[in-house]
Amino acid sequence: MNQASRATSVPGFFNSSCLNGGQDDIATYDCVHSVTTRIAMDAGGGIEFLDDACQTCSVPIRHPTIGLNECALFCAVIYARSDQQMKYLVTGAAGFIGMNVSLALLERGDSVVGFDNLNPYYSVELKHSRLNRLVAKSGFHFEEGDLADRERLPTLFAREKFDAVINLAAQAGVRYSLTNPHAYVDSNLVGFVNVLEACRHHEVKHLTYASSSSVYGANTEMPFSVHHNVDHPLSLYAATKKANELMAHTYSHLYRLPTTGLRFFTVYGPWGRPDMALWLFTKAILAGEPIDIFNNGQMRRDFTYIDDIVQGIIRVSDRIPAGNPDWSSEHPDPSSSRAPYRIYNIGNNQPVELMHLIETLERNLGKTAVKNFLPMQPGDVPATFADVDDLIRDVGFKPSTPIELGIERFVRWYREYHKC
């Protein structure tokens, strides 16, 4: 690791310039990753950088403190961004990831229009509870609607004039796609092309959208890399997510629309989805009911905590992709292009054995699960493991929350939410 000092104005990462033309390079960092350092107001009215060392490479970080009397308008932003407020459209805003991304954008001073159809795939009450957290915030406005409604989006885009779009709305779930395929076509294909068309015609600076680790399908080479071929999906859900990546590339190529797809790896945490394993296991264990363990427990997942996912999404959204000048049509790299197009994995880079997750959950709940071992479920895969080297290289961030801490936080939230 090159430990040469870098100023706060590291391009594409962090800008702590004063808005009134005051101090510019108010602090130096010892590595590019240290732009992730947390910021808080200290008791004396200054701004202090709280981390002792870079979380990625362990290089020490200096601790400058700036008194606000030296500069009345000091701008310090947690995520990589410009000094100007942005207006975002976040689709799927009542969803697990959408709510958390919207909250983070609002906390840093951006305005957010949340869009969601509030479909009953899982508890609408939970979705409303998430929305209640958002509508209480200044700068948030909610629009209920369906992305498959072709007439709705152009009107919304023309009125709001979004700077950027984060598309997290989708029909989720591998197993549900086996019995309700048309829901995936309507939301993930028709809805997505409507988003692309709206972005194309209304000068959106960057479209960031959710893909999935499911696109790796029949691949067995680990860790899964964005440079691998992903032409063998094992579920319709996975196929629609791969189709999203191809559709986005087409618009990046034809219309120079900057697009970035993010392959999420098993996202979990407070306010999560009731159809995910961690929620299902927790509910069943507390009720004394058996839990279904597929492939006889021989499963590994790259569980990724929600806070890491949110930070990754926002960092990537703030980095508008350019064409890759080294891209070769003779040896095409699936993760980039000569067009303004990128694909990244966002995963913890530390696969967890399913049985270890269950044991950790049992400890936090203080109860032992009744286990029902079953064969592999159709459409599922035995293991996932994210290669995040490209994410680290381009935005200086690597997810790192350990499963033990993430489950502890989830259980605490679950008990509080359900009063159990």
Side-chain angles (χ1 to χ4, degrees), residues 89 152-162 165 194-195 198-200 202 204:
L89 171 65
R152 181 70 183 279
L153 288 185
T155 302
L156 179 66
F157 274 67
R159 184 183 77 221
E160 299 291 347
K161 297 178 172 52
F162 300 112
V165 173
N194 288 342
V195 170
C199 289
R200 167 198 170 192
H202 293 89
V204 169

Side-chain angles (χ1 to χ4, degrees), residues 170-171 176 180-189 236:
Q171 180 57 61
Y176 189 68
N180 294 274
H182 293 290
Y184 293 79
V185 173
D186 293 342
S187 180
N188 300 6
L189 298 180
L236 180 63

Side-chain angles (χ1 to χ4, degrees), residues 169-361:
Q171 180 57 61
V174 169
R175 292 165 190 164
Y176 189 68
S177 70
L178 303 177
T179 56
N180 294 274
H182 293 290
Y184 293 79
V185 173
D186 293 342
S187 180
N188 300 6
L189 298 180
V190 175
F192 190 66
V193 78
N194 288 342
V195 170
L196 287 168
E197 276 290 293
C199 289
R200 167 198 170 192
H201 288 291
H202 293 89
E203 299 181 351
V204 169
K205 298 180 180 68
H206 188 195
L207 167 63
T208 306
Y209 61 94
S211 184
S212 169
S213 62
S214 296
V215 300
Y216 289 103
N219 290 23
T220 57
E221 182 180 352
M222 298 282 179
F224 291 151
S225 169
V226 292
H227 306 289
H228 293 166
N229 179 283
V230 288
D231 284 342
H232 297 87
L234 298 181
S235 68
L236 180 63
Y237 169 69
T240 64
K241 287 301 183 178
K242 172 61 187 291
N244 286 171
E245 296 178 2
L246 297 175
M247 295 158 73
H249 181 265
T250 302
Y251 274 69
S252 294
H253 170 74
L254 291 175
Y255 310 115
R256 311 310 293 176
L257 171 67
T259 67
T260 303
L262 301 176
R263 295 173 180 172
F264 300 142
F265 281 70
T266 316
V267 188
Y268 75 102
W271 294 97
R273 280 185 12 222
D275 63 322
M276 298 293 284
L278 184 57
W279 185 303
L280 293 171
F281 289 167
T282 300
K283 181 179 179 181
I285 292 171
L286 288 174
E289 299 172 352
I291 62 173
D292 290 337
I293 303 175
F294 293 102
N295 203 35
N296 298 304
Q298 301 302 305
M299 306 275 279
R300 299 168 72 233
R301 286 290 183 272
D302 206 344
F303 292 97
T304 312
Y305 190 64
I306 182 61
D307 289 1
D308 290 329
I309 289 289
V310 169
Q311 185 165 177
I313 291 170
I314 295 180
R315 286 178 173 276
V316 168
S317 177
D318 287 333
R319 184 183 187 277
I320 299 176
N324 179 4
D326 298 322
W327 191 85
S328 168
S329 58
E330 294 182 359
H331 304 285
D333 174 12
S335 73
S336 66
S337 169
R338 290 198 183 99
Y341 168 89
R342 286 292 186 281
I343 298 292
Y344 296 102
N345 288 334
I346 301 187
N348 211 44
N349 193 231
Q350 295 180 1
V352 174
E353 297 287 344
L354 178 59
M355 297 310 297
H356 176 67
L357 175 130
I358 294 170
E359 291 163 3
T360 304
L361 182 58

Side-chain angles (χ1 to χ4, degrees), residues 348-393:
N348 211 44
N349 193 231
Q350 295 180 1
V352 174
E353 297 287 344
L354 178 59
M355 297 310 297
H356 176 67
L357 175 130
I358 294 170
E359 291 163 3
T360 304
L361 182 58
E362 289 173 326
R363 284 196 300 273
N364 278 273
L365 292 173
K367 296 188 69 173
T368 301
V370 179
K371 301 174 180 70
N372 181 30
F373 291 96
L374 296 169
M376 178 73 84
Q377 183 90 343
D380 215 342
V381 296
T384 63
F385 180 7
D387 179 332
V388 292
D389 286 351
D390 286 44
L391 186 72
I392 296 169
R393 179 197 67 209

Side-chain angles (χ1 to χ4, degrees), residues 140-160:
F140 181 79
H141 171 69
F142 178 64
E143 293 274 342
E144 184 174 352
D146 197 318
L147 293 182
D149 181 351
R150 187 186 302 180
E151 305 302 322
R152 181 70 183 279
L153 288 185
T155 302
L156 179 66
F157 274 67
R159 184 183 77 221
E160 299 291 347

